[in-house]
Amino acid sequence: EAQVTQNPRYLITVTGKKLTVTCSQNMNHEYMSWYRQDPGLGLRQIYYSMNVEVTDKGDVPEGYKVSRKEKRNFPLILESPSPNQTSLYFCASSKMPGAGANVLTFGAGSRLTVL
Amino acid sequence: DAKTTQPPSMDCAEGRAANLPCNHSTISGNEYVYWYRQIHSQGPQYIIHGLKNNETNEMASLIITEDRKSSTLILPHATLRDTAVYYCIVRVASPQGAQKLVFGQGTRLTINP
């Protein structure tokens, strides 16, 4: 089944404890992206990647890192999490280029709580 | 990017057609209209997209006005499982367009039994 898989789905951690949210897709998509969703603010893009070793900042990149060493994986790294990073996180991927570029497949989400 | 305007909420009876409007009066010639939906806190789900012509797939139909300034997503026989937030997005169909797909507040559609 074509899908985007995120782990963990739920995580409670403490301030300053480094964590990584993994994202993997099995569709051979070039494009991958991370979003966070907060009440009243909608979905906001954190980082995106157009291909292996190519990443760029989205709207809210502060406090996050990403890497794209392999085409299928795009982990989101919180080096020193803070309570304002408590949120629901989504990873998404799509093929490129053309009209299919904006047909994103989303993961099921990772709910992160930072105490 | 063209700005989109959607009603914040709508209700529809189960089994009836749900018609969700979207205004995009500043859309440019190379921008597509995309629709996604998000059921509760699940990941958003792609529904349909189009440029000029009306489109239909197994989930829905997309009707785009001739001047392309507005569109309507039609769920022909709404079920309770169609209760979700529906997002209308206008974006160029290119890698650059995919860089920042902006999800607004959408329309919260409630299907009533």
Side-chain angles (χ1 to χ4, degrees), chain B residues 2-5 22-28 31 65 67-71 90:
Chain B
K3 178 179 168 57
T4 62
T5 304
C22 180
N23 286 321
H24 31 79
S25 58
T26 60
I27 192 171
S28 60
E31 289 185 309
T65 58
D67 63 7
R68 301 186 71 239
K69 293 185 177 182
S70 66
S71 60
V90 172

XYZ file of all heavy atoms in Angstrom, chain B residues 2-5 22-28 31 65 67-71 90:
142
model
N -2.888 33.082 -5.371
C -4.252 33.566 -5.294
C -4.829 33.218 -3.925
O -4.637 32.126 -3.413
C -5.089 32.942 -6.397
N -5.576 34.167 -3.358
C -6.194 33.943 -2.070
C -7.522 33.229 -2.293
O -8.214 33.481 -3.280
C -6.427 35.282 -1.391
C -7.120 35.214 -0.053
C -7.279 36.601 0.523
C -8.219 36.608 1.710
N -7.789 35.702 2.767
N -7.863 32.335 -1.385
C -9.137 31.634 -1.478
C -10.010 32.008 -0.299
O -9.513 32.277 0.802
C -8.950 30.108 -1.498
O -8.340 29.699 -0.270
C -8.068 29.682 -2.660
N -11.308 32.034 -0.527
C -12.277 32.332 0.513
C -13.306 31.220 0.549
O -13.918 30.893 -0.481
C -12.980 33.671 0.258
O -11.992 34.705 0.146
C -13.920 34.012 1.404
N -15.919 27.855 -3.190
C -14.614 28.471 -2.947
C -14.452 29.631 -3.930
O -14.648 29.460 -5.130
C -13.503 27.453 -3.134
S -11.837 28.117 -2.867
N -14.123 30.784 -3.388
C -13.845 31.949 -4.241
C -12.350 32.151 -4.376
O -11.612 32.100 -3.379
C -14.489 33.205 -3.654
C -15.979 33.218 -3.841
O -16.473 32.812 -4.891
N -16.706 33.653 -2.845
N -11.902 32.370 -5.604
C -10.481 32.614 -5.875
C -10.403 33.624 -7.014
O -9.917 33.310 -8.111
C -9.717 31.331 -6.186
C -10.524 30.253 -6.859
N -10.818 30.271 -8.209
C -11.087 29.137 -6.350
C -11.527 29.211 -8.509
N -11.714 28.495 -7.406
N -10.871 34.821 -6.745
C -11.049 35.834 -7.793
C -9.732 36.329 -8.386
O -9.725 36.893 -9.479
C -11.849 37.016 -7.245
O -11.188 37.574 -6.130
N -8.612 36.135 -7.682
C -7.322 36.618 -8.204
C -6.494 35.495 -8.822
O -5.298 35.656 -9.049
C -6.514 37.286 -7.085
O -6.280 36.325 -6.040
C -7.252 38.491 -6.526
N -7.131 34.397 -9.140
C -6.403 33.252 -9.700
C -5.768 33.629 -11.038
O -6.343 34.382 -11.833
C -7.356 32.044 -9.862
C -6.578 30.771 -10.151
C -8.405 32.324 -10.928
C -7.449 29.509 -10.092
N -4.576 33.131 -11.260
C -3.900 33.411 -12.531
C -4.004 32.201 -13.461
O -4.412 31.111 -13.055
C -2.434 33.764 -12.287
O -1.766 32.706 -11.648
N -2.546 28.641 -12.520
C -2.817 28.115 -11.186
C -3.965 27.109 -11.221
O -5.017 27.364 -11.812
C -3.136 29.244 -10.210
C -1.912 30.077 -9.863
C -2.221 31.122 -8.812
O -3.193 31.878 -8.982
O -1.474 31.183 -7.812
N -15.951 27.729 -12.561
C -16.667 28.663 -13.413
C -15.817 29.048 -14.617
O -14.578 28.925 -14.594
C -17.050 29.926 -12.637
O -15.861 30.537 -12.116
C -18.009 29.604 -11.500
N -14.962 31.873 -15.817
C -13.960 32.915 -15.553
C -12.923 32.460 -14.520
O -11.982 33.197 -14.222
C -14.616 34.218 -15.104
C -15.376 34.081 -13.789
O -15.295 33.007 -13.143
O -16.067 35.039 -13.410
N -13.096 31.255 -13.999
C -12.176 30.622 -13.043
C -12.066 31.368 -11.720
O -11.176 31.081 -10.931
C -10.766 30.476 -13.653
C -10.732 29.656 -14.923
C -9.330 29.417 -15.408
N -8.633 28.481 -14.529
C -7.509 28.750 -13.875
N -6.907 29.924 -14.009
N -6.956 27.841 -13.088
N -12.975 32.247 -11.437
C -12.888 33.010 -10.199
C -13.526 32.291 -9.023
O -13.426 32.739 -7.873
C -13.525 34.392 -10.389
C -12.738 35.270 -11.354
C -13.306 36.660 -11.446
C -12.434 37.528 -12.359
N -12.936 38.919 -12.433
N -14.198 31.211 -9.280
C -14.753 30.430 -8.182
C -14.915 28.984 -8.617
O -14.866 28.673 -9.821
C -16.103 30.994 -7.719
O -17.068 30.858 -8.743
N -15.085 28.123 -7.629
C -15.282 26.704 -7.914
C -16.174 26.102 -6.836
O -16.374 26.694 -5.770
C -13.940 25.966 -7.984
O -13.235 26.066 -6.759
N -5.237 27.138 -4.117
C -4.880 27.524 -5.484
C -3.364 27.634 -5.560
O -2.745 28.316 -4.754
C -5.534 28.862 -5.866
C -5.010 29.349 -7.208
C -7.044 28.710 -5.917
